[in-house]
Amino acid sequence: MSDIRYVAAESLDEAVKAMLAAGGQGKILAGGTDLLVQMRSGAQNPGTIVDVKKIDEVMQIVELPDGGFRIGAAVSGAVIGEHRKLAAAWPGVVEAVNLIGSKQVQGRASAGGNLCNSSPAADSVPALVAAGAKVVIQGPNGRREVPVEAFPTGPGRNCLAPGELVVSLTLPPRPPGSGDAYLRLIPRTEMDIAVVGVGVSLTLKDGVCTAARVGLGAVAPTVLLVEDAAKALIGSKLDDAALEKAAAACSAACKPINDKRGTIAYRTKIAGVLLKRATAIAARRATSNVPGGMH
Amino acid sequence: MTGQVYKWIGTRPNRPDGADKVTGRARFGADFNMPGQLVGRVLRSPHPHARIVSIDIGAAAALPGVKAVVTAADFPEQENIVVPAGEMQVNLRDVTRNIMAREKVLYEGHPVAAVAATTDAVAKQAVALIKVVYEELPHVIDVAAAMQDGAPILHDHIRTEGVQPAPTKASNIAKRVENLKGDVARGFAEAEVIIERSYTTQPVHQAYIEPHACLASAAEDGQVQVWTTTQGHFQVRGFCSRLLNIETSQIRVTPSEIGGGFGGKTVVYLEPVAVRLSQKTGKPVKMVMTREEVFRASGPAPGGTVKVKLGAKRDGRIVAADITIALQAGAFPGSPIGPACWCSMACYDVDNIRVVGFDVVSNRPKVAAYRAPGAPISAFGVESTIDMLAQELGMDPIELRLKNAAQKGTKTHYGPTFDRIGFIETLEAARNSAHWKSPVKPGYARGLAAGFWFNVGADSSAAAHVAEDGTVTVISGNPDIGGSRASLALMAAEELGVDYDKVRAIIADTSSVGFNFVTGGSRVTFATGLAVVNATKDAIRELKVRAAKIWGVDPEGVVWEGGQARPAGHNVGEFEPLSLAEIAAQAGKTGGPINGHAQLNAQGAGPGFGVHIADVKVDPDTGGVTIGRYTAVQDVGTAIHPGYVEGQLQGGAVQGIGWALNEEYIYNARGRLDNPGFLDYRIPVASDLPMIETVLVEVPNPHHPYGVRGVGEVPIVPPLATIANAVARATGVRMTDLPISPPRLSAALDAAMPRLAAE
């Protein structure tokens, strides 16, 4: 067995350099809740491990001047869950991040790691897609941003080039009357991987949906942005017909496989079921988010 | 309920192993180490069925740090004979092939070779360097498919036993068994209602948290020591002796604390291999399975098919039962088909019963015992069908069962006639339980089912040593998987009339106490408990002799009462009572150490019955099942330590619920297991379940001085049908195939929609 080099980078530059020097054999260590498990099973044998937890920008949640948020890629689920303003603005994103693993895992696992692991069933990703989150990436050529739905390119694969790493996730400012929600189906009640996951973010004005985004996980090689579902919701009062149409759009967007976690038929059906349920929760949150209180 | 007044029995003191376990002091299988030990690792087959053409160990053996490589050639061939192992029967020819494949590999994960090396990394590297040439063969996983004509044959020498005329063709059906009582055809002719259904269940793993692990040390003089996590260290000694041709007394096996066994640690996988590697290297060898190895290569409980036909009168009297059960044995014959057949109808007093069973091999790991082996599978079929009968007749499910309940004097279809049993009391306790009497919450439905396990006695040895200060060590030889040390100490304290904390119960290695059959069959508190009681009585007999000596009277003139020797009467003389401590202090002057011993083959294990109640809610869109309330009611004989008895009921219920709802092995088209871990092999997690409520019904076993019945296995028998019956009543859909996982239930609900809408 070859030795593993471990670098605890103090700056993004150092981390980028270490990743470049690793020549494709480098892995970023944030919470390690995926990486260490994969190393133990033999699925990953990195030459260099680059720990990013000593880099401030990667470890902080920052409120942006425009009202948005920047979440450091390695901020743990537990810290995200305790951020009251973030949880008030983006309850769907926070509940999705907090579904990763168990209570103990939450102390380590991060949204950035969940994204970089690039599983189609990652819990936080459909919620981040629905939220319209952007991924901030640092690399040898400086900094770039991509929409979260463009980040994963296949199961376990993503758009990071050699030497690049994820610094943070930015969430846009929230207009009044907005709400989001994430629901997943698992056969148990916890400690499980989503069979289907649906994130919905929407804005209501006078009971009419003025903006919506829908993220759909575990039903295709990557998490999907389902624009047809959003279109079905926008302009409606979230009546049954609109919900049916959006649910049908989610089912139609599914390109699932039969595997140990679910069948094609089941995943396709559940995508629609969860769309309706998540939309109902997001709408309730949107309604209670209108200045002047609940309707 | 026993009418007996005990001082210690029925109390709930802390278990003697508790503090060590919660503070991390307890040593489990992987916690034993010796200086200079090597690490052993196993090369396993990637194929479910293949002929081994050649094995080249050259490169592995040449790797620096590798001290030995073994294959089947390092283990002597064994005779084709069957010996008892735990609750199962095993064939030594098959056991040696299961620990190391010979002519063929028969399941993915089947050991092909093993290495011993200085480090784990070197051992892993060496395993990867072993070159095996396989000739892949067609495989068969499913039990029904394995029984078909034209199925790939696993063993050319197997001819179905129990069939006349004896077959001449090789088959995957190793055995046919039949239990017959009365005249089934006549019974069905009398029936006014007949219900017939077929059921399937999936194999499930015992899912013990602690993987198999051992350390073996073979010395130059031929002595062998093994430290291992097992339910039966005498069994480990026996297997190592037979499989390696070592005299039994040369082998000393010490059991570790055990992180769960549930039947799955009554067989050997690593120990003979570690001993052989140690013999070849002259160094201690440690082997620990990964979780993946545990799933791919250790024995699950079988999956099976059950066909049930019941005939009844309109008044609810069952007049005929015809049942056919086929169980997966895995790669080698020996599923628990016998117990599955016996337990199927044992709850009921029915005149005409036929039960036919088949033991079927297929390309998956050889099954091992799992809590009431076989019984949950047949009970799932029978108890589901009885529930349908209750619905058909419009009868209360408890009333229907009471009408047909077995009781003292009932002759079972498999032979024995019941002595005093408590099924009727258990049904009545269920009917009187807070759960059954409570209204069903809106959105929920209530299901109920029963279960039976005969329980086992068998061989036990024990000793009671009185120390010089009058405290007592109780020594026996059964690994403690459910609080048995506490129960044994309670019985000894009761017998001696001293406080529980003056008695310390320990588990001795194979060289320090006489033979004890495995911890299994719910036998330990009954059979080893009997041995402990007898050993304690033997010590008391000696204590009376010593008191007599001190007083200068005949031993017959001394009685033992309240922890003291007293004169039997005034005619013996007036003496102050002598306490245990006082007699012990003078032992050196009265004849030396004071010990008691006992050995026995315990007969008369009292059968146990359970009735479980579940309230469930079904999400019609997702097929998800929520359990709102669950109660396990059981005849437990006398609950020696009620807390640990309740723990057994709760644990069994939870494992049965997992079996019912989510647990299954998922094989891909190439015959490889896709879910060898706890992420995708879904045992219940705490948040899936309500607190499991328990009701202990105490109908003492007349064949034990304190009325003990085994309690550990019955509670896994009723849950499968309890859940299915509740789901049927919640949805109108009868789930006959397990697991009732969300995708399966959702599909069944969707399929039933037009029918239900029309009703």
Side-chain angles (χ1 to χ4, degrees), chain B residues 243-602:
Chain B
L243 296 177
L244 299 166
N245 288 340
I246 303 170
E247 284 180 353
T248 308
S249 63
Q250 293 296 308
I251 306 172
R252 181 177 185 182
V253 184
T254 305
S256 69
E257 289 292 347
I258 184 167
F262 312 109
K265 288 178 181 164
T266 55
V267 286
V268 289
Y269 300 106
L270 300 176
E271 294 91 346
V273 179
V275 171
R276 195 74 192 90
L277 285 168
S278 181
Q279 285 178 322
K280 285 193 91 166
T281 58
K283 288 183 177 281
V285 175
K286 180 169 173 173
M287 299 183 81
V288 181
M289 278 198 200
T290 63
R291 178 65 56 193
E292 192 177 327
E293 287 179 294
V294 170
F295 272 108
R296 290 197 201 280
S298 72
T305 62
V306 186
K307 205 171 128 191
V308 181
K309 184 179 174 188
L310 294 179
K313 294 286 196 186
R314 281 265 156 220
D315 66 0
R317 197 158 47 84
I318 301 172
V319 291
D322 194 0
I323 297 164
T324 306
I325 307 162
L327 293 188
Q328 262 162 1
F332 300 97
S335 72
I337 187 65
C341 292
W342 308 335
C343 294
S344 61
M345 282 298 291
C347 290
Y348 304 106
D349 187 354
V350 174
D351 288 340
N352 308 296
I353 300 174
R354 176 171 60 197
V355 185
V356 175
F358 296 98
D359 181 34
V360 185
V361 295
S362 71
N363 294 112
R364 47 201 316 166
K366 167 77 170 73
V367 298
Y370 180 23
R371 266 187 138 136
I377 301 163
S378 53
F380 170 58
V382 169
E383 292 294 314
S384 294
T385 312
I386 287 187
D387 197 53
M388 292 168 68
L389 183 62
Q391 287 177 303
E392 172 71 26
L393 296 173
M395 274 183 84
D396 174 272
I398 294 181
E399 200 52 50
L400 175 61
R401 286 173 172 84
L402 275 170
K403 201 164 183 86
N404 295 285
Q407 53 190 302
K408 183 172 179 172
T410 297
K411 181 163 169 49
T412 62
H413 61 284
Y414 63 95
T417 298
F418 285 132
D419 196 336
R420 183 77 173 88
I421 54 171
F423 187 41
I424 289 172
E425 287 85 346
T426 305
L427 284 163
E428 283 168 350
R431 190 163 58 184
N432 292 328
S433 67
H435 186 170
W436 191 256
K437 288 202 281 196
S438 70
V440 183
K441 280 191 185 161
Y444 283 83
R446 184 165 293 165
L448 171 141
F452 165 85
W453 181 251
F454 45 90
N455 291 320
V456 173
D459 298 337
S460 286
S461 308
H465 293 179
V466 179
E468 51 271 35
D469 64 353
T471 59
V472 177
T473 309
V474 167
I475 300 156
S476 61
N478 280 109
D480 178 353
I481 63 174
S484 58
R485 272 168 291 190
S487 298
L488 298 179
L490 282 168
M491 285 187 271
E494 189 74 47
E495 201 65 39
L496 282 163
V498 301
D499 285 354
Y500 171 76
D501 66 4
K502 302 292 182 221
V503 180
R504 172 66 59 171
I506 68 120
I507 300 152
D509 64 69
T510 53
S511 300
S512 305
V513 67
F515 181 86
N516 282 269
F517 190 56
V518 295
T519 298
S522 298
R523 64 174 288 277
V524 175
T525 306
F526 168 69
T528 305
L530 199 54
V532 165
V533 168
N534 288 355
T536 307
K537 284 185 195 293
D538 191 36
I540 291 169
R541 181 196 50 73
E542 185 63 25
L543 286 163
K544 289 193 289 187
V545 167
R546 303 305 175 86
K549 216 170 219 176
I550 292 166
W551 291 333
V553 302
D554 278 347
E556 291 75 37
V558 182
V559 293
W560 190 263
E561 276 173 9
Q564 293 177 317
R566 294 171 186 276
H570 294 294
N571 53 345
V572 176
E574 292 299 325
F575 300 104
E576 281 299 304
L578 283 166
S579 71
L580 181 55
E582 286 164 338
I583 299 170
Q586 301 181 56
K589 289 182 285 186
T590 59
I594 302 169
N595 301 319
H597 297 274
Q599 54 268 321
L600 49 81
N601 176 276

Side-chain angles (χ1 to χ4, degrees), chain A residues 1 40-41 185-193 195 259-263 266 269-270 273-274 277, chain B residues 121 125 619-622 662 666 674-675 678-685 687-688 742-743 746 750:
Chain A
M1 186 193 265
R40 228 181 129 87
S41 75
L185 188 128
I186 54 173
R188 288 188 290 213
T189 49
E190 61 179 335
M191 298 299 291
D192 219 327
I193 304 278
V195 176
D259 73 359
K260 58 192 172 188
R261 298 190 179 129
T263 60
Y266 187 64
K269 177 190 173 189
I270 296 304
V273 170
L274 294 188
R277 293 183 181 183
Chain B
Q125 215 181 330
D619 183 328
D621 293 325
T622 66
N662 276 310
I666 302 168
D674 263 352
N675 60 333
F678 282 134
L679 185 56
D680 288 303
Y681 180 88
R682 294 185 175 83
I683 62 171
V685 295
S687 56
D688 291 343
S746 171
D750 288 349

Side-chain angles (χ1 to χ4, degrees), chain A residues 69-268:
Chain A
F69 291 89
R70 193 181 72 210
I71 304 169
V75 176
S76 73
V79 171
I80 290 172
E82 287 169 8
H83 198 288
R84 293 175 65 176
K85 281 191 173 172
L86 180 62
W90 294 101
V93 170
V94 172
E95 73 195 352
V97 171
N98 287 162
L99 280 174
I100 302 166
S102 62
K103 193 92 182 163
Q104 292 91 329
V105 168
Q106 279 288 308
R108 308 286 297 176
S110 61
N114 198 221
L115 182 63
C116 290
N117 190 51
S118 300
S119 161
D123 277 313
S124 68
V125 180
L128 289 166
V129 167
K134 299 275 194 299
V135 188
V136 180
I137 297 167
Q138 184 89 12
N141 302 320
R143 191 165 277 218
R144 66 180 177 116
E145 257 189 28
V146 298
V148 75
E149 58 271 23
F151 184 85
T153 53
R157 296 196 308 274
N158 56 53
C159 72
L160 288 178
E164 284 191 325
L165 56 99
V166 174
V167 179
S168 61
L169 300 157
T170 50
L171 296 172
R174 221 49 184 129
S178 298
D180 72 335
Y182 174 75
L183 285 179
R184 67 170 181 183
L185 188 128
I186 54 173
R188 288 188 290 213
T189 49
E190 61 179 335
M191 298 299 291
D192 219 327
I193 304 278
V195 176
V196 179
V198 177
V200 174
S201 172
L202 47 77
T203 305
L204 296 180
K205 190 159 194 262
D206 302 327
V208 176
C209 178
T210 58
R213 284 173 65 90
V214 174
L216 184 54
V219 296
T222 61
V223 174
L224 304 173
L225 172 68
V226 190
E227 288 175 325
D228 286 348
K231 276 184 202 156
L233 298 176
I234 295 168
S236 80
K237 291 197 157 184
L238 305 181
D239 50 284
D240 287 350
L243 288 173
E244 283 299 338
K245 209 172 152 192
C250 278
S251 293
C254 294
K255 297 183 217 53
I257 52 170
N258 283 320
D259 73 359
K260 58 192 172 188
R261 298 190 179 129
T263 60
I264 291 171
Y266 187 64
R267 286 185 151 127
T268 306

